[in-house]
Amino acid sequence: MIRFLALGLVYLAFFTAQGQTKNFSGELWSSIPLGTTQESDFVILASGEKVFGRVVRSYNLTNYAEVIFEKDGKQVTYTPGELEGFGLDNGQLFYSRVLPDGEELIFLQVMVSGAIELSKYRGRYFLDNGSRFEELKAKYEDVIINDRSVKRFAKPYIATLKQFLTGECGVVRYSEIDKLPFGDQSFVRIVQEYLQCSNQSFEFHLSKIPLVQVSPIFGGGFSYFSISPEENYIDQANQLGAHLGYFGFVGVRFHELRVLPRFSTELRVAFSFFETELASSYFNNTVLVTGSEQLKETAVYIPWSFQYSILKQSQVEIYAGLSAGLWLGKVTTSGGIVDEELLSRNEIRISEQSITNPLNPKFIPGLKLGSNFQLKGKGRFFTELEWTSQGGYYQFSLINRSSEYARQRLSVQFGIEF
């Protein structure tokens, strides 16, 4: 009896260390078809049959309620109950399972597999050692401190990690676990370190998915410049003749963030050229003053923008965003002429003098709306509409009158992302 009990304990210990619901290192879960070296998406039907094809997706999704699978030009939609699981050519693996507190099958993403499995579903994380399947929980809770109710971030996941990461390799990491942030990178790192220390084999199923994709961009477009008064005399008017300027830009886009796939950010350097004529005037009961001047501006514009994808599919993306940057401009004036007509004496005085004093503030905030389209290969063509505003950009002076104007810029831009 004692002998059988001992054998049972040995078996239980072995199962706890090695047993898994799935063996993701086997051929069944490989993304490489036999006889090829090219990785491919695949699904494993509930019957156990494996089919290679393409999982239709807009970007590096981590949550799937259903799977649209394309094979030989035909698309089929699968639910978790119809699949054992599926894999993507970028290394991601998903399998059908019921969560510890759930009742229905869902597609659970595998992050690390081995003696301990780390998985994820909609921002929730789970550990499985073959005998226990538990969630790594974190939550905000109300606590009373000095008779005041405050919110505190509770970390039950710390105790759960210590329960799973046992033995000497776990104990030496307890101080690190106590400070461990809640998220993908920290959980993956601590589980990997533990399995390496324990000399247990494991696989990392996110290695082919970068934290962020970096894409160079270039393009150009045209801008419509307009001005609006800030503080000016009510009898003074100023307006621009030509409104169109031109620019080109280069930059880099950071997108497909693993944690926030709908967000992206860009840093650009643009070179702008704008040439126009200013017409300025004011009058009262005794005098009418008019003036004109040629303005020529060259500028380096360095915007940093943040975008959110409203619609994000493989072929098309629509996004909106905010931008802020530096406008390093140089305005050159020439040909300034002022006509002063004294109405009471019917006398006209003409003088050559500059009318424009460019204040040229360097900070320039803005809004952006854009879309991009898939080209052949990996390139994408994008179009954008951007609006920016610069307060106190110009100061216009006519003899004893002066006023400050803000400048607005509405630009249409086109470009290629590689």
Side-chain angles (χ1 to χ4, degrees):
M1 181 67 180
I2 296 176
R3 181 181 178 183
F4 283 111
L5 181 59
L7 287 173
L9 291 174
V10 171
Y11 175 78
L12 179 59
F14 178 82
F15 181 79
T16 301
Q18 302 293 335
Q20 283 295 302
T21 56
K22 300 289 181 185
N23 177 18
F24 297 104
S25 62
E27 181 182 313
L28 181 64
W29 291 89
S30 171
S31 61
I32 302 177
L34 289 175
T36 70
T37 57
Q38 183 68 38
E39 292 181 301
S40 172
D41 300 343
F42 64 88
V43 295
I44 302 174
L45 304 180
S47 63
E49 179 186 359
K50 182 178 182 181
V51 182
F52 285 97
R54 185 175 76 92
V55 173
V56 179
R57 58 194 187 274
S58 55
Y59 49 95
N60 289 334
L61 284 172
T62 57
N63 303 310
Y64 287 86
E66 60 184 19
V67 173
I68 302 174
F69 188 69
E70 186 176 275
K71 174 73 173 178
D72 299 329
K74 298 180 180 179
Q75 292 186 353
V76 181
T77 301
Y78 293 106
T79 62
E82 297 172 303
L83 294 181
E84 183 176 341
F86 65 95
L88 306 181
D89 60 3
N90 60 17
Q92 289 177 297
L93 291 181
F94 301 80
Y95 73 103
S96 300
R97 189 167 191 179
V98 177
L99 296 181
D101 59 351
E103 297 179 355
E104 299 181 354
L105 288 169
I106 55 91
F107 286 127
L108 186 66
Q109 182 186 12
V110 184
M111 303 174 74
V112 178
S113 65
I116 292 180
E117 175 192 297
L118 174 65
S119 53
K120 178 183 179 181
Y121 177 72
R122 296 189 181 279
R124 301 168 62 187
Y125 301 89
F126 304 88
L127 287 179
D128 184 355
N129 63 8
S131 59
R132 296 172 57 194
F133 179 43
E134 294 188 20
E135 182 177 355
L136 295 170
K137 295 182 178 181
K139 61 181 179 180
Y140 284 95
E141 59 184 14
D142 293 323
V143 296
I144 303 298
I145 299 178
N146 297 329
D147 298 326
R148 294 179 57 190
S149 177
V150 297
K151 285 191 176 295
R152 182 182 67 180
F153 186 60
K155 303 177 179 180
Y157 64 86
I158 291 177
T160 305
L161 278 167
K162 291 179 178 179
Q163 292 169 5
F164 275 79
L165 308 186
T166 58
E168 182 180 350
C169 289
V171 172
V172 298
R173 286 169 174 78
Y174 279 4
S175 60
E176 182 181 355
I177 292 174
D178 288 335
K179 304 174 184 177
L180 199 68
F182 185 85
D184 287 37
Q185 297 184 55
S186 54
F187 289 155
V188 167
R189 177 176 51 80
I190 199 71
V191 170
Q192 282 186 304
E193 289 177 356
Y194 172 78
L195 293 174
Q196 287 173 338
C197 175
S198 304
N199 293 321
Q200 301 183 81
S201 61
F202 66 91
E203 288 193 47
F204 177 45
H205 300 286
L206 299 178
S207 58
K208 299 172 187 175
I209 310 170
L211 288 174
V212 60
Q213 289 189 23
V214 182
S215 300
I217 57 176
F218 80 93
F222 57 89
S223 299
Y224 182 90
F225 291 96
S226 60
I227 56 176
S228 58
E230 291 192 328
E231 296 180 3
N232 70 300
Y233 291 97
I234 193 169
D235 55 359
Q236 184 178 4
N238 298 281
Q239 63 181 15
L240 301 179
H243 293 272
L244 288 183
Y246 304 91
F247 64 92
F249 62 86
V250 295
V252 61
R253 182 182 185 220
F254 303 90
H255 58 111
E256 309 300 336
L257 282 72
R258 187 191 297 173
V259 179
L260 299 169
R262 284 187 178 268
F263 285 88
S264 62
T265 182
E266 290 182 10
L267 181 63
R268 297 182 183 179
V269 177
F271 305 90
S272 173
F273 177 79
F274 177 49
E275 189 172 5
T276 188
E277 181 179 10
L278 169 71
S280 182
S281 66
Y282 81 85
F283 72 94
N284 55 32
N285 293 332
T286 61
V287 67
L288 169 63
V289 181
T290 61
S292 64
E293 188 167 35
Q294 300 294 322
L295 306 180
K296 183 182 292 185
E297 178 186 40
T298 56
V300 175
Y301 174 37
I302 308 175
W304 192 355
S305 62
F306 298 86
Q307 293 83 226
Y308 176 79
S309 297
I310 303 168
L311 172 68
K312 190 172 178 67
Q313 298 178 348
S314 58
Q315 298 298 319
V316 63
E317 177 183 6
I318 298 175
Y319 53 89
L322 303 173
S323 65
L326 293 177
W327 185 273
L328 307 175
K330 179 180 179 181
V331 179
T332 303
T333 63
S334 63
I337 297 179
V338 176
D339 295 351
E340 182 181 9
E341 182 178 354
L342 303 177
L343 300 178
S344 60
R345 291 183 289 179
N346 197 23
E347 179 182 334
I348 298 178
R349 299 174 182 174
I350 300 176
S351 61
E352 294 184 3
Q353 57 181 281
S354 180
I355 301 171
T356 306
N357 176 28
L359 303 177
N360 196 15
K362 293 180 171 54
F363 178 69
I364 177 169
L367 303 173
K368 181 189 291 187
L369 180 66
S371 62
N372 62 53
F373 307 90
Q374 180 71 52
L375 301 175
K376 289 184 179 180
K378 296 184 178 180
R380 301 183 76 91
F381 173 77
F382 63 86
T383 61
E384 292 179 346
L385 188 65
E386 183 184 26
W387 178 86
T388 60
S389 179
Q390 292 169 280
Y393 193 81
Y394 294 119
Q395 183 182 63
F396 302 125
S397 300
L398 277 178
I399 304 179
N400 60 345
R401 292 288 194 275
S402 67
S403 58
E404 289 189 7
Y405 274 68
R407 188 175 74 168
Q408 294 77 41
R409 169 178 165 268
L410 182 64
S411 68
V412 179
Q413 43 206 27
F414 310 90
I416 301 291
E417 172 189 311
F418 295 98

